[in-house]
């Protein structure tokens, strides 16, 4: 698999005006190529989450340019960005954020239903495969709110993967987990990069976690101080 | 999976998660639709009954000769000088014929008029019934019996005896119920009658008439045209009233004017004669619509509330849906579908319950001497109410859902996710 640019940020600035005008991101430049396992670290409040929300296209209130898969994201319509998120980005949050009204299988399948590229049976087969790989296929028909934290996070990873996104982003996905579960989730990420050359961008506070990724971006006070290259 | 199906399934899942509130909101719609239908059906049943009482008995246009004051002062006619004013006090009405001049040719001309559904000539005479030393005054209406039966449901008002006998049996009479009771006579009895001209006759009772208006039944009798003309000592062309039923009721005022001019008679149309009934019906309809719509609006607020609450509780769900690729429009559709599902299911059940309630009211006995043909409460099953209620339910629930859904569509997932 040849390496290509998956994500590119050009001069991204972000301001908050509430309660006082404050620049949270200052002239962010960097690129991520396919197959990279990138971690982002930095002091609390330095703007990691803010950056990630911009990169994930959920936050559109910034200046500068963002390219995903060679396509410019800035100034796209809300519904276009939603479709792009659906197809190309997988997201894993610190708090697992599953839909409690649905079963595990349905939670994993939902983005694929939305994408509507496969029939329902094929989506279910694929979801079951993913759950199997994450070691939780026996939970497929359980309601999401009955799972443990570690299990929930694995379901969230399966959901992030269901549409074969070009990049999976995570905001402290292990922040809420104990050592053992952190290890499990890390191993899964590692395996994804090794086996499928899945591109990953993970914000973390866990130094051990960051040390084991292929590249670490260090931020301080809204700037990238070390690009890890 | 189609986009509609996916969004609808998400909507269903959200409703299931809030089953109790959803059911309460649905029952609210059900109740208001059912009440709307029942109320309007019942009210309009009553309206139709009351209007029917009048419409069935009242000719659309009535031709007659009215006794009027002279249109001009006699003096004016005599001196023919408009520069001066002359007054003669206590001017009497000039003598007019009580019958309609040239009635035979008018009847013939009306029969050929394609706008006319039917005509029934009448002639009436003042009479006295004598019991012992007491004279009871009454009016005998001479009628064309088959025409009255056909046009004005005359048979419905003759609970005893057969009205046709009045035509077939010479010298027969149908007595008002009040008179029959006072005279203590029954079917087949003979009653003595004195006309205002002083002639005495004996007539056979062939029927008892009951209009429902007791005072009217105390002074009104019916007989055939021929019998009445005989009481008046007049020939068979002597007609004092021509009652006309039109094919189109609404043309009555216009045609009344036309006939009055054409036949040189006075003409009265049903709208003028019964203006107050129309107003009464309209007011009743307006009140029932107002109550029904109020009920629906209250149900709408119920839906608005539950959706607002649901959106507040399901912020996480909305954020997740948006983060995983559902657009604001998708989220809006989900909440609109929730509102519409509640509205449609509640509405359909409401229509069924409304139909059942109407049917129930229709079974309640309602027997009153004033309305001899009515046995149970009247209910109007006009589909118009069912359609109106359903359409209104859907529109109200859509509007009730629209604003919360709009709110949900602009939820910023970043704010929610960061908020944790
Ligand atoms: N909506 C907002 N309005 C105003 N200021 C905000 C808003 N969101 C974030 N900030 C500020 O922006 C800065 C960066 O926040 P951000 O959440 O990106 O930090 P972070 O690096 O993710 O921190 P942590 O490691 O604790 O998660 C903080 O100083 C925060 O107070
Ligand atoms: Mg953060």
């Amino acid at each position: 698999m040849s390496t290509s640019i998956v994500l590119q940020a050009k001069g991204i600035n972000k301001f908050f005006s509430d309660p006082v005008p404050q620049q949270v991101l200052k002239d962010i430049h960097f690129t991520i190529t396919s197959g990279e396992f990138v971690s982002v670290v930095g002091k609390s409040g330095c703007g990691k989450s803010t950056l990630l929300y911009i990169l994930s296209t959920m936050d559109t209130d910034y200046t500068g340019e963002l390219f995903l898969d060679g396509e410019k994201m800035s100034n796209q319509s809300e519904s276009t960005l939603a479709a792009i998120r659906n197809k190309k980005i997988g997201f894993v949050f610190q708090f697992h954020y599953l839909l409690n009204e649905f079963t595990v299988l349905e939670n994993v399948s939902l983005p694929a239903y939305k994408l509507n590229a496969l029939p329902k049976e094929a989506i279910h087969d694929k979801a079951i495969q993913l759950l199997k790989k994450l070691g939780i296929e026996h939970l497929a028909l359980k309601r999401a709110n009955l799972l443990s934290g570690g299990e929930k996070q694995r379901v969230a990873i399966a959901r992030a993967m269901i549409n074969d996104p070009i990049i999976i982003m995570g905001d402290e996905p292990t922040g809420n987990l104990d050592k053992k579960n952190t290890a499990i989730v890390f191993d899964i990420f590692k395996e994804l990069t090794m086996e499928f050359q899945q591109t990953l961008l993970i914000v973390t506070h866990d130094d051990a976690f960051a040390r084991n990724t292929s590249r670490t971006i260090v931020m301080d006070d809204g700037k990238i101080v070390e690009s890890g290259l | 999976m189609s986009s509609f199906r996916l969004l609808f399934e998400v909507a269903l899942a959200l409703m299931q998660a809030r089953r109790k509130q959803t059911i309460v909101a649905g029952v609210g719609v059900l109740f208001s639709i059912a009440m709307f239908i029942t109320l309007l059906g019942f009210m309009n049943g009553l309206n139709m009954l009351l209007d029917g009482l009048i419409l069935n008995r009242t000719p659309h246009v009535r031709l007659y000769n009215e006794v009027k004051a002279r249109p001009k002062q006699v003096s004016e006619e005599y001196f023919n000088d408009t520069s001066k004013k002359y007054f003669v006090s206590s001017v009497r009405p000039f003598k007019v014929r009580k019958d309609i001049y040239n009635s035979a040719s008018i009847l013939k001309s009306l029969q050929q008029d394609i706008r006319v559904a039917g005509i029934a000539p009448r002639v009436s005479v003042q009479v006295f019934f004598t019991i012992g030393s007491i004279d009871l005054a009454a009016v005998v209406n001479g009628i064309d019996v088959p025409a009255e039966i056909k046009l004005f449901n005359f048979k419905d008002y003759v609970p005893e005896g057969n009205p046709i006998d009045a035509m077939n049996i010479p010298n027969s009479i149908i007595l008002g119920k009040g008179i029959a009771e006072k005279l203590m006579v029954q079917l087949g009895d003979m009653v003595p009658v004195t006309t205002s001209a002083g002639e005495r006759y004996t007539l056979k009772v062939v029927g008892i008439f009951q209009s429902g208006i007791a005072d009217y039944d105390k002074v009104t009798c019916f007989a055939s045209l021929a019998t009445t003309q005989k009481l008046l000592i007049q020939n068979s062309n002597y007609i004092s009233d021509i009652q006309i039923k039109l094919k189109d009721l609404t043309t009555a005022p216009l045609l009344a004017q036309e006939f009055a001019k054409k036949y040189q008679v006075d003409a009265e149309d049903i709208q003028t004669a019964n203006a107050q009934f129309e107003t009464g019906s309209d007011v009743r309809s307006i009140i029932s619509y107002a109550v029904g719509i109020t009920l629906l609006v209250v149900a709408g607020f119920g839906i608005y509330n539950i959706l607002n609450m649901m959106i507040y509780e399901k912020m996480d769900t909305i954020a997740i849906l948006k983060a995983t690729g559902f657009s604001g429009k998708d989220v809006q559709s989900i909440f609109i579908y929730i509102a519409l599902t509640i509205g449609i299911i509640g509405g359909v059940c409401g229509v069924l319950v409304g139909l059942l309630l109407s049917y129930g009211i229709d079974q309640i006995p309602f027997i009153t001497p004033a309305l001899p043909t009515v046995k149970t409460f009247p209910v109007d099953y006009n589909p118009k109410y069912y359609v109106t209620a359903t359409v209104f339910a859907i529109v109200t629930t859509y509007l009730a859902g629209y604003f919360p859904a709009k709110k949900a569509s602009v939820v910023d997932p970043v704010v929610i996710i960061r908020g944790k």
Side-chain angles (χ1 to χ4, degrees):
Chain A
M1 194 175 160
S2 67
T3 56
S4 61
I5 294 174
V6 169
L7 188 141
Q8 185 171 26
K10 284 189 183 169
I12 287 181
N13 292 288
K14 167 84 183 174
F15 297 86
F16 283 122
S17 53
D18 186 31
V20 284
Q22 175 195 8
Q23 186 170 6
V24 189
L25 295 178
K26 297 165 188 167
D27 200 28
I28 302 285
H29 284 270
F30 72 97
T31 46
I32 295 175
T33 48
S34 72
E36 278 190 295
F37 184 1
V38 184
S39 57
V40 181
V41 297
K43 283 204 284 289
S44 182
C46 69
K48 304 182 294 294
S49 296
T50 307
L51 177 61
L52 206 63
Y53 297 139
I54 290 171
L55 299 182
S56 71
T57 76
M58 283 192 283
D59 187 353
T60 52
D61 181 22
Y62 59 91
T63 61
E65 289 180 326
L66 171 67
F67 294 86
L68 190 77
D69 206 15
E71 205 181 336
K72 189 171 167 185
M73 294 294 108
S74 325
N75 302 323
Q76 297 271 25
S77 76
E78 187 261 354
S79 56
T80 311
L81 291 177
I84 289 167
R85 273 201 301 280
N86 180 238
K87 191 169 160 51
K88 297 189 172 172
I89 303 174
F91 212 101
V92 185
F93 308 94
Q94 175 173 7
F95 303 95
H96 340 284
Y97 275 105
L98 299 179
L99 301 183
N100 292 330
E101 298 82 13
F102 293 98
T103 63
V104 165
L105 182 63
E106 283 166 329
N107 262 286
V108 174
S109 304
L110 210 57
Y113 294 155
K114 174 65 196 159
L115 185 63
N116 201 15
L118 292 173
K120 197 169 179 172
E121 295 70 35
I123 293 172
H124 283 181
D125 286 348
K126 195 169 169 187
I128 294 283
Q129 289 307 314
L130 284 170
L131 290 173
K132 207 174 265 173
K133 184 150 51 206
L134 301 178
I136 46 170
E137 82 268 25
H138 59 283
L139 299 174
L141 298 178
K142 230 175 169 170
R143 284 268 295 247
N145 56 339
L146 303 174
L147 304 184
S148 76
E151 289 166 342
K152 279 184 183 170
Q153 206 55 300
R154 280 185 271 172
V155 175
I157 293 169
R159 181 182 63 198
M161 292 170 64
I162 188 81
N163 283 343
D164 301 317
I166 56 166
I167 184 166
I168 292 177
M169 302 183 187
D171 191 359
E172 303 179 35
T174 58
N176 216 25
L177 301 180
D178 62 11
K179 262 212 166 65
K180 185 176 144 240
N181 276 301
T182 301
I184 292 174
V185 169
F186 182 83
D187 288 344
I188 291 166
F189 283 149
K190 198 85 196 168
E191 205 181 309
L192 290 178
T193 38
M194 305 298 260
E195 247 181 81
F196 308 100
Q197 286 75 48
Q198 177 69 61
T199 314
L200 293 165
L201 176 64
I202 308 293
V203 170
T204 182
H205 270 136
D206 185 337
D207 286 337
F209 186 107
R211 236 178 288 123
N212 285 312
T213 58
S214 63
R215 172 183 165 196
T216 301
I217 294 176
V218 183
M219 285 181 70
D220 186 31
D221 193 21
K223 284 181 293 236
I224 292 180
V225 291
E226 216 175 286
S227 73
L229 288 173
Chain B
M1 183 153 29
S2 76
S3 167
F4 167 75
R5 226 186 108 193
L6 171 60
L7 298 178
F8 186 65
E9 274 182 18
V10 175
L12 283 183
L14 286 176
M15 282 192 276
Q16 241 156 38
R18 275 259 150 256
R19 196 175 305 162
K20 236 190 215 154
Q21 278 94 328
T22 308
I23 290 173
V24 168
V27 169
V29 176
L30 181 155
F31 178 75
S32 59
I33 293 288
M35 289 317 286
F36 182 88
I37 287 172
T38 314
L39 195 67
L40 277 161
F42 184 38
M43 272 292 177
N44 226 58
L46 281 177
N47 273 351
M48 277 166 56
L49 178 83
L50 295 174
D51 290 355
L53 276 182
I54 300 305
L55 293 181
N56 287 345
R57 287 187 223 182
T58 315
H60 297 167
V61 177
R62 189 167 75 90
L63 305 182
Y64 60 104
N65 269 345
E66 191 154 37
V67 176
K68 301 180 262 229
R70 278 170 179 271
K72 273 187 174 172
Q73 281 278 336
V74 195
S75 51
E76 277 175 43
E77 270 173 29
Y78 185 77
F79 294 106
N80 206 13
D81 179 355
T82 49
S83 65
K84 298 195 177 76
K85 283 278 173 203
Y86 304 91
F87 289 101
V88 177
S89 51
S90 301
V91 180
R92 302 276 142 74
F94 60 165
K95 171 140 177 61
V96 283
R97 311 166 55 127
K98 278 201 189 155
D99 66 322
I100 295 173
Y101 178 66
N102 210 1
S103 61
S105 67
I106 295 178
L107 288 176
K108 207 164 173 188
S109 154
L110 283 172
Q111 256 151 7
Q112 277 155 7
D113 196 318
I114 48 156
R115 297 163 300 184
V116 172
I119 50 175
R122 275 193 180 196
V123 57
S124 56
V125 56
Q126 294 276 351
V127 298
F128 296 101
F129 295 101
T130 315
I131 3 167
S133 59
I134 301 168
D135 283 344
L136 281 178
V139 174
V140 175
N141 291 306
I143 56 172
D144 176 344
V145 181
E148 297 270 345
I149 291 175
K150 191 173 137 239
L151 300 178
F152 304 116
N153 301 331
F154 184 63
K155 219 173 186 148
D156 287 349
Y157 305 106
V158 182
E160 288 174 55
N162 187 351
I164 287 289
D165 289 346
M167 187 180 71
N168 294 339
I169 301 172
N171 296 332
S172 61
I173 190 166
I174 296 170
L175 290 179
K177 195 175 166 75
I179 298 172
E181 276 168 6
K182 280 190 196 159
L183 295 175
M184 290 189 290
V185 292
Q186 283 160 359
L187 286 187
D189 289 354
M190 305 299 284
V191 285
V193 172
T194 312
T195 68
S196 50
E199 304 283 334
R200 297 182 68 97
Y201 297 89
T202 307
L203 301 178
K204 185 178 183 188
V205 180
V206 292
I208 304 292
F209 169 82
Q210 187 183 14
S211 68
I213 303 162
D215 281 341
Y216 186 69
D217 297 344
K218 276 180 199 160
V219 295
T220 311
C221 303
F222 291 89
S224 68
L225 278 174
T227 304
T228 317
Q229 282 155 351
K230 201 160 131 195
L231 294 180
L232 280 165
I233 329 177
Q234 294 285 359
N235 68 11
S236 65
N237 285 334
Y238 189 91
I239 298 295
S240 58
D241 271 86
I242 299 174
Q243 306 180 94
I244 304 170
K245 200 154 193 177
L246 299 172
K247 286 182 180 148
D248 181 2
L249 172 67
T250 57
T251 60
L254 253 136
L255 288 183
Q257 279 178 22
E258 185 191 318
F259 293 151
K261 217 165 170 186
K262 190 167 162 193
Y263 303 126
Q264 294 294 310
V265 289
D266 292 294
E268 187 184 51
D269 59 84
I270 188 168
Q271 282 85 347
T272 312
N274 294 292
Q276 75 279 17
F277 275 93
E278 290 266 313
T279 320
S281 301
D282 286 352
V283 168
R284 278 191 292 273
S285 289
I286 289 170
I287 292 174
S288 7
Y289 269 103
V291 172
I293 286 171
T294 308
L295 287 170
L296 280 173
V297 169
V298 170
F301 274 107
I303 293 183
Y304 177 83
N305 267 340
I306 174 174
L307 281 183
N308 260 337
M309 202 161 70
M310 212 181 247
I311 286 162
Y312 185 74
E313 283 175 357
K314 298 294 173 192
M315 281 294 181
D316 287 2
T317 302
I318 296 169
I320 276 296
L321 288 172
K322 286 192 159 184
T324 55
F326 287 76
S327 64
K329 223 173 142 71
D330 292 334
V331 172
Q332 186 176 343
S333 300
I334 289 171
F335 285 93
I336 295 268
Y337 293 161
I338 292 177
L340 284 181
T341 306
I342 294 173
I344 289 170
I345 294 180
V348 168
C349 295
V351 164
L352 294 178
V353 172
L355 190 64
L356 275 177
L357 279 178
S358 298
Y359 185 75
I361 288 177
D362 207 355
Q363 304 309 307
I364 299 173
F366 176 57
I367 294 162
T368 153
L371 306 164
T373 52
V374 176
K375 300 280 175 273
T376 59
F377 274 116
V379 171
D380 182 11
Y381 292 99
N382 193 334
K384 193 173 84 185
Y385 307 128
Y386 296 78
V387 174
T388 310
T390 312
V391 169
F392 207 88
I394 293 169
V395 171
T396 319
T397 49
Y398 179 82
L399 287 180
Y402 180 81
F403 297 100
K406 197 86 203 159
K407 199 163 92 185
S409 78
V410 296
V411 164
D412 185 351
V414 173
V415 172
I416 309 302
I417 291 163
R418 191 187 277 285
K420 272 264 167 157

